[in-house]
Amino acid sequence: MLGLGADLLWADMNRLLAFLFHQGVLDEQFLQLQQLQDETSPNFVSEVVNIYFHESEKLLRNLRGLLMEKEFSDYKKMGIHLNQLMGSSSSIGAKRVTNVCLAFRAATDHSNRSGCLRALEMLEHEYCYLKNKLHELFQIEQQRALAAGVRYPVQNN
Amino acid sequence: MGLGLKMKIQEMQMVMQKHHVPVALRMHEQNGSQKRKYTLIQKNRALIPLFLLLWILVMFYFCCNIFNKMDADAKVRRKEGLESQCDQRARMLQDQFSVSVNHVHALAILVSTFHYYRHPSAVDQETFAEYTARTAFERPLLSGVAYAQRVVHSERERFEKQHGWIIKTMEREPSQLRDEYAPVIFAQETLSYLESLDMMSGKEDRENILRARATGKAVLTAPLAFRSHHLGVFTFPVTNLSFLQSHETRKATAGYIGGSFDVESLVENLLGQLAGNQAILVNVYDVTNSSTHLIMYGSQNEKGDMSLVHESNLDFGDPYRNHTMICRYHQKAPTNWMALTTVFLSFVILLLIGYILYGAGIHIVKVEDDYQEMEELKVLAEAADVAKSQFLATVSHEIRTPMNGILGMLGLLLDTELTSTQRDYAQTAQACGKALITLINEVLDRAKIEAGKLELEAVPFDLRSILDDVLSLFSEKSRHKGLELAVFVSDKVPDIVMGDPGRFRQIITNLVGNSVKFTERGHIFVKVHLAESRKPTMNGTCETYQNGETDEVGHISGGCNSKTLSGCEAADERNNWDNFKHLIADEEFLFDGLVKKVASSECYEQVTLMVCVEDTGIGIPFSAQDRIFMPFVQADSSTSRHYGGTGIGLSISKCLVELMGGQINFISRPQVGVHFHLLQTLDVHKIKNDVRADVRSSSSLRSQPCVMKPVELLHEIPLTRLVSAKCNTLKAVVCGDVYSDYSADMFRERIMVFGRGWSFNIWQLDWKKNGHMLKIPQMILLATNISNAEFDRAKAKGFSDTVIMKPLRASMVAACLQQVLGMGKKRQLGKDMPNGSTFLKGLLCGKKMLVVDDNIVNRRVAAGALKKFGADVKCAESGKVALEMLQLPHNFDACFMDIQMPEMDGFEATRRIRMMESKANEQLTNGDEHPHLPILAMTADVIHATYEECLKCGMDGYVSKPFEEENLYQAVAKFF
């Protein structure tokens, strides 16, 4: 029964992953990331992704702060932040976030304030979406790990 | 699962719609702004008919004015004419009259002279009559003259006695008693009836006489009523000179001379002498009494043209009486036809001009309306185009995304434990997936070409490897169909040329794909050589080739002996085997050593390549040959039914070729085949030797001093040739006859290449016959289409790993030869197992790595990736930290350096590290050098320029940022 649950969860996870891939939220880099996870570093993916969230939230906050300055927006600084964000996003394979970052950076290059604002909103949206989905994914994975954990001893026996 | 898929599709559509709507909106907005641009004419389109009407009215008014003016002119002229004529007549009449009066005056003097001066009188009635009759011509106006003597009452009796008659009144009765009388004594014959009549008895005459006497001048009577007004009388006083002294004319008057004049005949005569009297109606009036005008000449009834009248005064020398002459035209003024026509014609002309302008205006409006409409349509079309591109982009994106998933999953699958068959399948699937992705990209590019937005890149690429790739893409298909598919690249063609490999590949893929599609039997042969070297060497001796036993369908059924690759007839006669052999021979001649070749390839700046794709398919019908390059056109409609396809490939190929500045053409014979040839000028890339070593997969064979002696069936000689050409430093000897040449000599060679069919039969006896087993040659079997059973048989014979499936690919041949010769194992391993993580693991295990990246996520991922391969990873978050960690001596084996970092970027950090190293080495001088630390750049963009910059500042390579094992392996393998 429990083993079946683990299988179901496994299927769920795969479906969710496939869905995210399909939507272009993630790309194969995420798979690469998953490959890096093995017995020696069992929580590698979630660890990295949590770091990513932590960093990204900081960056997003900074970006919003920079953009909200009434008179003057430091586009150069924003570009640096965006490069950071883009780099880390592409590392974890958050494709859509990366793409929005690209657009955002183009907007900062042109010092296009309204474009920046739009891009920021989109970025936040994408980011939230990604965050929710990944959290969902990790939750399923955790459950699965639990289920599998229950199952393994059974199997071993 | 199916439901899920459906939902996904719906979602996709939704996404697409979402994308689409703003575009459409934007288009509409543009529409709106464009609509405002009206021209002046268009703005006032409603006024155009009004303008026409106004124009007509104005022109009508204008014409009327002109007409009026002209008419008035004519009238003035007419009036002036009338005036002058009238005045002339009046003057003449006056003159004539005065002449007559003068003459009467003279007559009066005559009477006074001869009647009163002489005693007795010299004048009697007869003399007077005689004289007056003879001088009548002098008085044309007067019908006659008479002389009446003044007789006072006292003298009456004496007078009557003297003359013998009594004075009678006008009524011919004896005159009553009066103060004085004026009886006519002399009269012209015409007036003889007046003799003895008392002129004083008539009331008018009496007044006249009295007036004449009072003034002493001639006086006129009013026209005499009793003689139809035409007759007038004028009276002249005759003075007796003897009384003149008294100055009293009354007393001096001795008598009166009178003349009657007939105005009518007078005027008639006068007018008769003048021209144009018919046109003018003349009336003469006596206007003494202003209330009643007495007509003297002309009929009252004849009205003539009453509109125009001219009045001239007549002065007959009698101040008491006034006469006028009134002239008018007989006819009414004629209609002024000339003015009328002129005006009418000009009106018509102006009307036409107006109409033309109107038409022009209408036309302009129409044209501009059309233009607007076109603009709108254009905008719509552009919107549609944008939508199409967007659709294409979206769809291909949507396809690409799951494809990425598939590829990723396949990658994962390949990492698991698989049997070789499974691995093979999975690898094939992965390869196909990759091909699909490239295809999708190509589809996008096609859309780009159509939009004219394609940009060609100019990067160095290896022509041969591209051809190999293309070949491998179609190898499955051609094998399935039993086609010979071969590529031959002339040795003279430089290894690396500059150009757009993607496009080039696309073109070749298209051409070969078409050939494969339309060819059922025979061969497809891709040939690349320099255009200059392709002289048609037709003087080759015609060797007789023996038909070997073969499974070629065309060979058996056709029985034709064309010297082409497969033996089937080809479209271009010149392109047969003979010619090819000569070409090769030519090249061989030149191709004595590698040095020469390198020299030759490097002395050219540009080469013109001739790429030929030859097939033995259905060909192109003559009727369709001229439109074969048009998009979506296939030779005939049945083609797509039989073979599928859209017919866009060739047109795109042509576009691409022309974009790259080349030419594409073809020769075709229906049912025989097509021969496409493509002329393309490309820059030669100056290559560094180390790069060359990498790009040339077969280069490792160069150093091998082995001699290969292929033994082949005759019809497969080209393949032999191909093999030898591919491993281009291996000398190949072609044996003509299999059986005769099949001697012990052969076994001195290390490699034998067999065509199939041949090998199975004689395999057995070879070994035994030769006896000595010292040097067993390595065997390679070439096969086009091999069934499983045959494959098993071959395996049994010893061709376990050394079956090469045609088409021959350089890399495959190289790999096979490497395997046979037992060399380059390591390389091969890497090549054959691109996902060989175990290998990578071995490579990196225990190595100490430094990862430098400011981005913590990236750092973690990179570290994770490297750790997975067993490496011991340390991290540094900035260039400065890395520098500190790399202070000599350190124990790092390699360093992965992010390029974009704040404060100190990767380039700078590397430069410093290198500086540090060189400084340390200088200090050490004892030859015990610090090892050169490999530094690999990590970069998100793998642009060429970046790579070069990496090398410039002392880095040893680069890895593209999201780590991929293959990539990582390639970068790392150089150093460990």
Side-chain angles (χ1 to χ4, degrees), chain B residues 739-960:
Chain B
Y739 296 99
S740 61
D741 252 12
Y742 191 69
S743 63
D745 268 0
M746 268 181 64
F747 298 99
R748 301 221 182 96
E749 315 301 344
R750 288 184 60 189
I751 305 173
M752 286 171 72
V753 180
F754 295 98
R756 67 184 263 259
W758 176 88
S759 52
F760 299 119
N761 307 335
I762 50 168
W763 185 242
Q764 213 63 31
L765 83 179
D766 313 331
W767 298 115
K768 305 288 171 272
K769 201 166 76 181
N770 280 291
H772 54 297
M773 305 284 276
L774 276 169
K775 273 184 171 178
I776 300 169
Q778 300 287 334
M779 302 287 180
I780 295 173
L781 178 64
L782 284 175
T784 307
N785 190 4
I786 195 161
S787 67
N788 279 337
E790 278 175 324
F791 188 69
D792 289 341
R793 265 170 70 198
K795 237 178 180 170
K797 303 280 184 200
F799 295 100
S800 58
D801 288 327
T802 52
V803 177
I804 299 181
M805 296 291 267
K806 281 187 267 186
L808 291 179
R809 291 160 57 196
S811 54
M812 207 156 59
V813 175
C816 193
L817 290 175
Q818 275 168 343
Q819 196 181 353
V820 167
L821 298 173
M823 56 174 272
K825 275 286 186 215
K826 192 166 132 189
R827 268 193 84 80
Q828 210 177 355
L829 197 67
K831 274 258 176 281
D832 288 351
M833 296 165 68
N835 291 301
S837 54
T838 47
F839 184 71
L840 202 56
K841 208 166 193 163
L843 211 63
L844 292 176
C845 193
K847 295 284 199 289
K848 203 161 177 214
M849 303 279 184
L850 179 64
V851 174
V852 188
D853 198 327
D854 62 313
N855 191 321
I856 182 164
V857 179
N858 285 355
R859 212 154 60 216
R860 283 290 306 181
V861 172
L866 290 172
K867 261 182 197 154
K868 194 188 173 201
F869 301 121
D872 182 10
V873 185
K874 283 269 171 359
C875 293
E877 68 267 17
S878 76
K880 273 185 184 160
V881 178
L883 266 180
E884 276 167 29
M885 291 174 82
L886 286 174
Q887 287 296 336
L888 292 167
H890 60 76
N891 54 353
F892 288 106
D893 292 306
C895 172
F896 288 85
M897 181 85 74
D898 185 32
I899 289 176
Q900 279 185 326
M901 280 187 296
E903 288 176 62
M904 187 190 290
D905 67 2
F907 296 133
E908 180 62 29
T910 311
R911 238 172 265 136
R912 292 207 187 175
I913 291 164
R914 291 296 177 231
M915 233 151 70
M916 230 153 61
E917 278 179 353
S918 58
K919 225 182 253 172
N921 282 343
E922 270 170 38
Q923 283 166 4
L924 281 172
T925 59
N926 56 357
D928 183 22
E929 282 192 349
H930 283 291
H932 173 94
L933 176 75
I935 300 179
L936 293 157
M938 291 193 294
T939 165
D941 47 353
V942 265
I943 308 166
H944 206 69
T946 318
Y947 176 59
E948 280 183 356
E949 205 172 336
C950 289
L951 294 184
K952 217 193 282 173
C953 69
M955 291 185 178
D956 300 276
Y958 73 95
V959 206
S960 64

Side-chain angles (χ1 to χ4, degrees), chain B residues 495-511:
Chain B
D495 290 335
I496 307 287
V497 287
M498 296 290 286
D500 194 326
R503 310 297 153 211
F504 193 79
R505 181 195 155 106
Q506 200 175 342
I507 294 164
I508 302 293
T509 311
N510 258 324
L511 293 179

Side-chain angles (χ1 to χ4, degrees), chain B residues 649-660:
Chain B
L650 275 178
S651 78
I652 285 171
S653 297
K654 192 177 166 67
C655 281
L656 283 174
V657 169
E658 278 166 5
L659 219 58
M660 296 197 293

Side-chain angles (χ1 to χ4, degrees), chain B residues 325-476:
Chain B
M325 177 183 267
I326 293 175
C327 299
R328 56 173 81 95
Y329 284 105
H330 260 299
Q331 254 105 45
K332 294 214 176 229
T335 327
N336 197 342
W337 282 114
M338 203 185 73
L340 209 60
T341 12
T342 313
V343 167
F344 179 72
L345 285 179
S346 42
F347 180 66
V348 165
I349 288 168
L350 288 171
L351 204 68
L352 286 177
I353 288 174
Y355 183 74
I356 287 167
L357 288 177
Y358 171 76
I362 293 285
H363 188 69
I364 287 171
V365 166
K366 193 174 174 302
V367 164
E368 282 181 354
D369 278 354
D370 286 356
Y371 173 74
Q372 294 281 346
E373 202 178 329
M374 291 299 164
E375 281 285 291
E376 280 160 29
L377 287 178
K378 191 184 144 220
V379 168
L380 282 182
E382 276 168 356
D385 196 47
V386 168
K388 189 194 92 176
S389 315
Q390 216 158 27
F391 172 78
L392 215 63
T394 317
V395 165
S396 53
H397 177 81
E398 296 297 330
I399 295 172
R400 248 191 297 187
T401 318
M403 272 312 292
N404 279 335
I406 292 172
L407 286 181
M409 294 296 171
L410 279 170
L412 282 182
L413 183 67
L414 280 170
D415 268 2
T416 56
E417 291 293 322
L418 293 175
T419 66
S420 62
T421 333
Q422 282 171 333
R423 177 171 298 278
D424 183 39
Y425 291 161
Q427 270 173 356
T428 314
Q430 198 181 31
C432 289
K434 276 180 180 162
L436 181 57
I437 289 236
T438 26
L439 266 178
I440 288 161
N441 290 339
E442 277 168 7
V443 166
L444 270 178
D445 287 342
R446 280 163 209 219
K448 262 196 201 164
I449 298 177
E450 276 165 25
K453 283 175 199 153
L454 188 87
E455 279 166 16
L456 292 173
E457 44 183 359
V459 295
F461 69 96
D462 184 5
L463 198 73
R464 290 171 176 83
S465 73
I466 281 181
L467 288 172
D468 264 4
D469 287 350
V470 173
L471 228 63
S472 63
L473 196 66
F474 291 105
S475 59
E476 185 58 44

